[in-house]
Amino acid sequence: MHRSGAVMAWNVFKFCTALRGLGSVMILLVLGIVGVTYYALVLTNYGPALYIGGVDSVTAVAVLILFHCLLVMLLWSYFSVVLTDPGGVPPNWRPVMDEERGDTVPLTSSEFGGTTMGLQQSMPLHDMANPRFRFCRKCNQPKPARCHHCSVCGRCILKMDHHCVWVVNCVGALNYKYFLLFLFYTFLETTLVTLSLLPHFIAFFSDGEIPGTPGTLATTFLAFVLNLAFALSVLGFLIMHISLVLANTTTIEAYEKKTTPKWRYDLGRKKNFEQVFGADIRYWFIPASSDLLLALKTRIVDLKD
């Protein structure tokens, strides 16, 4: 029994190491899918339609404008998730009060056992599991409420939702909004591409002659199938994460929430939503923090003056 547990731990470690190695491969895969879609929609089908004239040209202009606008927002959101730190625990962080239960009574120094190592050695296992104190054995330091250790990143993440291989990063407190916008714009973009390429896909099964080379036809077929698959799968993820946001919970906490009669972090749907997206509706659909956008706006006004 002990041997199987050791083998399992070793396999998990190998799996986490493999995920770390995916890194640039997943980013290149995402850019590759975008490239195939761009070639099929813009260069092969709707770009040439601009020179036909009439209704086809008007339709092509509308599709291309909308496609490029959504593509910019999708890539902006994607790289915001990839490059933004999800939020980690400061090296010498110590709780000042019971964060799990929201008590206003400060924790005393005796509850820490002096140093971090002293705390780990002085506290028995049942005390370390006590809600008044959370300790990460892997990081060897205390961790705040709603914080979980990511074996892939090798550290504790604030309000961790999950580690996403597509963005090569953890989704946590500081980049959750960008992740949701990435899902949102991905769904809109893939739906637009699917609907735009649908007439060309149907033409594959007609008896008439289809214009284009075998390479362009294969690319169009592949782009349609890929975007249809992503649109359907991303829709499911988007619906799930919207429900999590409105309940002020994460994917990891979803199971824990089922075991409690009332979720202690639920502030009501409006405030739960504002915790992620902010209170200003003007910044809800922009993959940047509201504080950064306000600072940028203030800077622009100052330069004008």
Side-chain angles (χ1 to χ4, degrees):
M1 189 72 178
H2 175 73
R3 179 179 174 81
S4 64
V7 172
M8 182 180 294
W10 182 76
N11 289 339
V12 169
F13 176 77
K14 285 184 62 177
F15 177 71
C16 294
T17 304
L19 287 180
R20 293 191 194 104
L22 283 177
S24 58
V25 175
M26 295 305 297
I27 296 177
L28 291 176
L29 178 60
V30 171
L31 294 179
I33 295 172
V34 171
V36 169
T37 300
Y38 195 92
Y39 180 81
L41 186 80
V42 179
L43 301 181
T44 300
N45 293 292
Y46 283 89
L50 291 173
Y51 305 99
I52 296 177
V55 178
D56 290 339
S57 294
V58 175
T59 303
V61 169
V63 169
L64 292 175
I65 290 176
L66 187 56
F67 173 81
H68 283 91
C69 289
L70 291 176
L71 181 61
V72 169
M73 298 307 296
L74 186 157
L75 292 177
W76 185 5
S77 302
Y78 177 72
F79 284 105
S80 293
V81 185
V82 172
L83 300 175
T84 301
D85 191 299
V89 182
N92 298 318
W93 179 86
R94 296 291 184 276
V96 295
M97 64 180 62
D98 190 343
E99 298 191 358
E100 285 288 338
R101 295 185 301 183
D103 294 348
T104 57
V105 179
L107 293 172
T108 63
S109 58
S110 62
E111 291 182 89
F112 298 108
T115 63
T116 302
M117 185 60 67
L119 172 68
Q120 186 181 20
Q121 294 173 348
S122 63
M123 292 187 69
L125 292 179
H126 68 275
D127 287 338
M128 293 178 68
N130 191 289
R132 285 187 64 80
F133 188 85
R134 302 176 76 238
F135 188 88
C136 179
R137 297 174 181 272
K138 297 179 181 178
C139 294
N140 197 31
Q141 70 173 20
K143 60 181 179 180
R146 313 190 74 181
C147 180
H148 297 274
H149 185 89
C150 175
S151 298
V152 180
C153 295
R155 61 183 181 131
C156 288
I157 304 298
L158 298 175
K159 199 179 178 184
M160 177 180 173
D161 187 88
H162 69 289
H163 186 95
C164 181
V165 294
W166 287 99
V167 302
V168 202
N169 198 2
C170 263
V171 177
L174 302 184
N175 63 353
Y176 190 37
K177 173 188 174 182
Y178 310 149
F179 176 74
L180 292 174
L181 289 178
F182 170 58
L183 292 180
F184 176 69
Y185 288 119
T186 298
F187 171 69
L188 293 182
E189 180 82 323
T190 53
T191 301
L192 173 66
V193 173
T194 301
L195 294 177
S196 300
L197 294 181
L198 181 60
H200 303 276
F201 180 78
I202 295 175
F204 281 106
F205 305 97
S206 64
D207 296 330
E209 184 178 350
I210 307 174
T213 65
T216 58
L217 295 177
T219 305
T220 300
F221 186 91
L222 177 62
F224 175 84
V225 173
L226 283 175
N227 280 271
L228 176 61
F230 276 109
L232 295 176
S233 59
V234 169
L235 176 61
F237 279 111
L238 189 59
I239 293 173
M240 181 190 77
H241 279 284
I242 289 175
S243 65
L244 292 176
V245 169
L246 295 179
N248 199 352
T249 187
T250 64
T251 302
I252 293 177
E253 294 170 341
Y255 176 77
E256 180 184 351
K257 182 174 178 288
K258 293 179 181 179
T259 62
T260 57
K262 179 174 175 57
W263 185 238
R264 55 184 174 276
Y265 301 113
D266 189 358
L267 305 175
R269 291 188 174 183
K270 184 175 183 294
K271 290 186 177 180
N272 292 342
F273 183 86
E274 290 176 351
Q275 272 197 358
V276 177
F277 287 91
D280 196 332
I281 191 174
R282 294 175 297 175
Y283 306 130
W284 284 357
F285 299 99
I286 301 177
S289 67
S290 56
D291 293 338
L292 177 62
L293 292 171
L294 286 172
L296 181 61
K297 182 179 179 181
T298 303
R299 178 61 176 168
I300 294 174
V301 171
D302 292 341
L303 291 175
K304 289 182 178 179
D305 293 339

mmCIF file with all atom_site columns, all heavy atoms in Angstrom, residues 22-37:
data_model
loop_
_atom_site.group_PDB
_atom_site.id
_atom_site.type_symbol
_atom_site.label_atom_id
_atom_site.label_alt_id
_atom_site.label_comp_id
_atom_site.label_asym_id
_atom_site.label_entity_id
_atom_site.label_seq_id
_atom_site.pdbx_PDB_ins_code
_atom_site.Cartn_x
_atom_site.Cartn_y
_atom_site.Cartn_z
_atom_site.occupancy
_atom_site.B_iso_or_equiv
_atom_site.pdbx_formal_charge
_atom_site.auth_seq_id
_atom_site.auth_comp_id
_atom_site.auth_asym_id
_atom_site.auth_atom_id
_atom_site.pdbx_PDB_model_num
ATOM 1   N N   . LEU A 1 22 ? 5.130   22.132 -21.238 1.00 0.00 ? 22 LEU A N   1
ATOM 2   C CA  . LEU A 1 22 ? 4.260   22.470 -22.366 1.00 0.00 ? 22 LEU A CA  1
ATOM 3   C C   . LEU A 1 22 ? 4.445   23.924 -22.794 1.00 0.00 ? 22 LEU A C   1
ATOM 4   O O   . LEU A 1 22 ? 4.470   24.222 -23.980 1.00 0.00 ? 22 LEU A O   1
ATOM 5   C CB  . LEU A 1 22 ? 2.794   22.210 -22.009 1.00 0.00 ? 22 LEU A CB  1
ATOM 6   C CG  . LEU A 1 22 ? 2.344   20.753 -22.036 1.00 0.00 ? 22 LEU A CG  1
ATOM 7   C CD1 . LEU A 1 22 ? 0.910   20.646 -21.589 1.00 0.00 ? 22 LEU A CD1 1
ATOM 8   C CD2 . LEU A 1 22 ? 2.489   20.176 -23.430 1.00 0.00 ? 22 LEU A CD2 1
ATOM 9   N N   . GLY A 1 23 ? 4.503   24.816 -21.796 1.00 0.00 ? 23 GLY A N   1
ATOM 10  C CA  . GLY A 1 23 ? 4.777   26.237 -21.981 1.00 0.00 ? 23 GLY A CA  1
ATOM 11  C C   . GLY A 1 23 ? 4.526   26.805 -23.351 1.00 0.00 ? 23 GLY A C   1
ATOM 12  O O   . GLY A 1 23 ? 3.392   26.997 -23.790 1.00 0.00 ? 23 GLY A O   1
ATOM 13  N N   . SER A 1 24 ? 5.633   27.089 -24.056 1.00 0.00 ? 24 SER A N   1
ATOM 14  C CA  . SER A 1 24 ? 5.554   27.742 -25.363 1.00 0.00 ? 24 SER A CA  1
ATOM 15  C C   . SER A 1 24 ? 4.837   26.884 -26.389 1.00 0.00 ? 24 SER A C   1
ATOM 16  O O   . SER A 1 24 ? 4.289   27.411 -27.365 1.00 0.00 ? 24 SER A O   1
ATOM 17  C CB  . SER A 1 24 ? 6.967   28.074 -25.856 1.00 0.00 ? 24 SER A CB  1
ATOM 18  O OG  . SER A 1 24 ? 7.759   26.904 -25.927 1.00 0.00 ? 24 SER A OG  1
ATOM 19  N N   . VAL A 1 25 ? 4.811   25.552 -26.194 1.00 0.00 ? 25 VAL A N   1
ATOM 20  C CA  . VAL A 1 25 ? 4.125   24.678 -27.148 1.00 0.00 ? 25 VAL A CA  1
ATOM 21  C C   . VAL A 1 25 ? 2.644   25.017 -27.212 1.00 0.00 ? 25 VAL A C   1
ATOM 22  O O   . VAL A 1 25 ? 2.048   25.105 -28.305 1.00 0.00 ? 25 VAL A O   1
ATOM 23  C CB  . VAL A 1 25 ? 4.327   23.192 -26.769 1.00 0.00 ? 25 VAL A CB  1
ATOM 24  C CG1 . VAL A 1 25 ? 3.511   22.292 -27.688 1.00 0.00 ? 25 VAL A CG1 1
ATOM 25  C CG2 . VAL A 1 25 ? 5.797   22.815 -26.806 1.00 0.00 ? 25 VAL A CG2 1
ATOM 26  N N   . MET A 1 26 ? 2.010   25.226 -26.039 1.00 0.00 ? 26 MET A N   1
ATOM 27  C CA  . MET A 1 26 ? 0.581   25.542 -26.011 1.00 0.00 ? 26 MET A CA  1
ATOM 28  C C   . MET A 1 26 ? 0.310   26.924 -26.605 1.00 0.00 ? 26 MET A C   1
ATOM 29  O O   . MET A 1 26 ? -0.697  27.122 -27.296 1.00 0.00 ? 26 MET A O   1
ATOM 30  C CB  . MET A 1 26 ? 0.065   25.471 -24.576 1.00 0.00 ? 26 MET A CB  1
ATOM 31  C CG  . MET A 1 26 ? 0.127   24.087 -23.964 1.00 0.00 ? 26 MET A CG  1
ATOM 32  S SD  . MET A 1 26 ? -0.728  22.828 -24.962 1.00 0.00 ? 26 MET A SD  1
ATOM 33  C CE  . MET A 1 26 ? -2.409  23.429 -24.917 1.00 0.00 ? 26 MET A CE  1
ATOM 34  N N   . ILE A 1 27 ? 1.202   27.872 -26.345 1.00 0.00 ? 27 ILE A N   1
ATOM 35  C CA  . ILE A 1 27 ? 1.028   29.207 -26.925 1.00 0.00 ? 27 ILE A CA  1
ATOM 36  C C   . ILE A 1 27 ? 1.125   29.132 -28.439 1.00 0.00 ? 27 ILE A C   1
ATOM 37  O O   . ILE A 1 27 ? 0.324   29.735 -29.168 1.00 0.00 ? 27 ILE A O   1
ATOM 38  C CB  . ILE A 1 27 ? 2.076   30.182 -26.354 1.00 0.00 ? 27 ILE A CB  1
ATOM 39  C CG1 . ILE A 1 27 ? 1.858   30.370 -24.852 1.00 0.00 ? 27 ILE A CG1 1
ATOM 40  C CG2 . ILE A 1 27 ? 2.010   31.532 -27.070 1.00 0.00 ? 27 ILE A CG2 1
ATOM 41  C CD1 . ILE A 1 27 ? 2.889   31.250 -24.184 1.00 0.00 ? 27 ILE A CD1 1
ATOM 42  N N   . LEU A 1 28 ? 2.098   28.363 -28.932 1.00 0.00 ? 28 LEU A N   1
ATOM 43  C CA  . LEU A 1 28 ? 2.231   28.191 -30.384 1.00 0.00 ? 28 LEU A CA  1
ATOM 44  C C   . LEU A 1 28 ? 1.029   27.468 -30.971 1.00 0.00 ? 28 LEU A C   1
ATOM 45  O O   . LEU A 1 28 ? 0.610   27.760 -32.096 1.00 0.00 ? 28 LEU A O   1
ATOM 46  C CB  . LEU A 1 28 ? 3.517   27.416 -30.694 1.00 0.00 ? 28 LEU A CB  1
ATOM 47  C CG  . LEU A 1 28 ? 4.838   28.152 -30.419 1.00 0.00 ? 28 LEU A CG  1
ATOM 48  C CD1 . LEU A 1 28 ? 6.016   27.225 -30.674 1.00 0.00 ? 28 LEU A CD1 1
ATOM 49  C CD2 . LEU A 1 28 ? 4.947   29.404 -31.279 1.00 0.00 ? 28 LEU A CD2 1
ATOM 50  N N   . LEU A 1 29 ? 0.459   26.520 -30.208 1.00 0.00 ? 29 LEU A N   1
ATOM 51  C CA  . LEU A 1 29 ? -0.729  25.810 -30.679 1.00 0.00 ? 29 LEU A CA  1
ATOM 52  C C   . LEU A 1 29 ? -1.909  26.768 -30.818 1.00 0.00 ? 29 LEU A C   1
ATOM 53  O O   . LEU A 1 29 ? -2.640  26.729 -31.816 1.00 0.00 ? 29 LEU A O   1
ATOM 54  C CB  . LEU A 1 29 ? -1.081  24.685 -29.701 1.00 0.00 ? 29 LEU A CB  1
ATOM 55  C CG  . LEU A 1 29 ? -2.339  23.872 -30.034 1.00 0.00 ? 29 LEU A CG  1
ATOM 56  C CD1 . LEU A 1 29 ? -2.200  23.210 -31.398 1.00 0.00 ? 29 LEU A CD1 1
ATOM 57  C CD2 . LEU A 1 29 ? -2.604  22.825 -28.958 1.00 0.00 ? 29 LEU A CD2 1
ATOM 58  N N   . VAL A 1 30 ? -2.103  27.637 -29.822 1.00 0.00 ? 30 VAL A N   1
ATOM 59  C CA  . VAL A 1 30 ? -3.187  28.628 -29.887 1.00 0.00 ? 30 VAL A CA  1
ATOM 60  C C   . VAL A 1 30 ? -2.981  29.554 -31.088 1.00 0.00 ? 30 VAL A C   1
ATOM 61  O O   . VAL A 1 30 ? -3.915  29.812 -31.862 1.00 0.00 ? 30 VAL A O   1
ATOM 62  C CB  . VAL A 1 30 ? -3.251  29.446 -28.584 1.00 0.00 ? 30 VAL A CB  1
ATOM 63  C CG1 . VAL A 1 30 ? -4.209  30.622 -28.728 1.00 0.00 ? 30 VAL A CG1 1
ATOM 64  C CG2 . VAL A 1 30 ? -3.688  28.558 -27.430 1.00 0.00 ? 30 VAL A CG2 1
ATOM 65  N N   . LEU A 1 31 ? -1.745  30.046 -31.257 1.00 0.00 ? 31 LEU A N   1
ATOM 66  C CA  . LEU A 1 31 ? -1.463  30.928 -32.386 1.00 0.00 ? 31 LEU A CA  1
ATOM 67  C C   . LEU A 1 31 ? -1.615  30.180 -33.713 1.00 0.00 ? 31 LEU A C   1
ATOM 68  O O   . LEU A 1 31 ? -2.020  30.775 -34.719 1.00 0.00 ? 31 LEU A O   1
ATOM 69  C CB  . LEU A 1 31 ? -0.056  31.500 -32.254 1.00 0.00 ? 31 LEU A CB  1
ATOM 70  C CG  . LEU A 1 31 ? 0.172   32.437 -31.061 1.00 0.00 ? 31 LEU A CG  1
ATOM 71  C CD1 . LEU A 1 31 ? 1.618   32.917 -31.033 1.00 0.00 ? 31 LEU A CD1 1
ATOM 72  C CD2 . LEU A 1 31 ? -0.780  33.625 -31.107 1.00 0.00 ? 31 LEU A CD2 1
ATOM 73  N N   . GLY A 1 32 ? -1.306  28.884 -33.717 1.00 0.00 ? 32 GLY A N   1
ATOM 74  C CA  . GLY A 1 32 ? -1.491  28.084 -34.924 1.00 0.00 ? 32 GLY A CA  1
ATOM 75  C C   . GLY A 1 32 ? -2.956  27.964 -35.316 1.00 0.00 ? 32 GLY A C   1
ATOM 76  O O   . GLY A 1 32 ? -3.309  28.078 -36.502 1.00 0.00 ? 32 GLY A O   1
ATOM 77  N N   . ILE A 1 33 ? -3.819  27.755 -34.314 1.00 0.00 ? 33 ILE A N   1
ATOM 78  C CA  . ILE A 1 33 ? -5.259  27.673 -34.579 1.00 0.00 ? 33 ILE A CA  1
ATOM 79  C C   . ILE A 1 33 ? -5.782  29.011 -35.101 1.00 0.00 ? 33 ILE A C   1
ATOM 80  O O   . ILE A 1 33 ? -6.594  29.071 -36.034 1.00 0.00 ? 33 ILE A O   1
ATOM 81  C CB  . ILE A 1 33 ? -6.012  27.247 -33.309 1.00 0.00 ? 33 ILE A CB  1
ATOM 82  C CG1 . ILE A 1 33 ? -5.606  25.816 -32.908 1.00 0.00 ? 33 ILE A CG1 1
ATOM 83  C CG2 . ILE A 1 33 ? -7.524  27.323 -33.517 1.00 0.00 ? 33 ILE A CG2 1
ATOM 84  C CD1 . ILE A 1 33 ? -6.149  25.375 -31.569 1.00 0.00 ? 33 ILE A CD1 1
ATOM 85  N N   . VAL A 1 34 ? -5.290  30.099 -34.492 1.00 0.00 ? 34 VAL A N   1
ATOM 86  C CA  . VAL A 1 34 ? -5.672  31.435 -34.961 1.00 0.00 ? 34 VAL A CA  1
ATOM 87  C C   . VAL A 1 34 ? -5.202  31.640 -36.403 1.00 0.00 ? 34 VAL A C   1
ATOM 88  O O   . VAL A 1 34 ? -5.931  32.192 -37.239 1.00 0.00 ? 34 VAL A O   1
ATOM 89  C CB  . VAL A 1 34 ? -5.079  32.524 -34.040 1.00 0.00 ? 34 VAL A CB  1
ATOM 90  C CG1 . VAL A 1 34 ? -5.287  33.918 -34.648 1.00 0.00 ? 34 VAL A CG1 1
ATOM 91  C CG2 . VAL A 1 34 ? -5.713  32.463 -32.664 1.00 0.00 ? 34 VAL A CG2 1
ATOM 92  N N   . GLY A 1 35 ? -3.980  31.167 -36.709 1.00 0.00 ? 35 GLY A N   1
ATOM 93  C CA  . GLY A 1 35 ? -3.448  31.320 -38.059 1.00 0.00 ? 35 GLY A CA  1
ATOM 94  C C   . GLY A 1 35 ? -4.248  30.558 -39.102 1.00 0.00 ? 35 GLY A C   1
ATOM 95  O O   . GLY A 1 35 ? -4.534  31.087 -40.193 1.00 0.00 ? 35 GLY A O   1
ATOM 96  N N   . VAL A 1 36 ? -4.623  29.332 -38.778 1.00 0.00 ? 36 VAL A N   1
ATOM 97  C CA  . VAL A 1 36 ? -5.438  28.533 -39.705 1.00 0.00 ? 36 VAL A CA  1
ATOM 98  C C   . VAL A 1 36 ? -6.786  29.203 -39.944 1.00 0.00 ? 36 VAL A C   1
ATOM 99  O O   . VAL A 1 36 ? -7.275  29.284 -41.089 1.00 0.00 ? 36 VAL A O   1
ATOM 100 C CB  . VAL A 1 36 ? -5.634  27.105 -39.147 1.00 0.00 ? 36 VAL A CB  1
ATOM 101 C CG1 . VAL A 1 36 ? -6.687  26.349 -39.957 1.00 0.00 ? 36 VAL A CG1 1
ATOM 102 C CG2 . VAL A 1 36 ? -4.323  26.342 -39.154 1.00 0.00 ? 36 VAL A CG2 1
ATOM 103 N N   . THR A 1 37 ? -7.381  29.691 -38.866 1.00 0.00 ? 37 THR A N   1
ATOM 104 C CA  . THR A 1 37 ? -8.679  30.362 -38.979 1.00 0.00 ? 37 THR A CA  1
ATOM 105 C C   . THR A 1 37 ? -8.565  31.633 -39.817 1.00 0.00 ? 37 THR A C   1
ATOM 106 O O   . THR A 1 37 ? -9.413  31.912 -40.670 1.00 0.00 ? 37 THR A O   1
ATOM 107 C CB  . THR A 1 37 ? -9.212  30.713 -37.580 1.00 0.00 ? 37 THR A CB  1
ATOM 108 O OG1 . THR A 1 37 ? -9.366  29.506 -36.814 1.00 0.00 ? 37 THR A OG1 1
ATOM 109 C CG2 . THR A 1 37 ? -10.549 31.415 -37.666 1.00 0.00 ? 37 THR A CG2 1
#
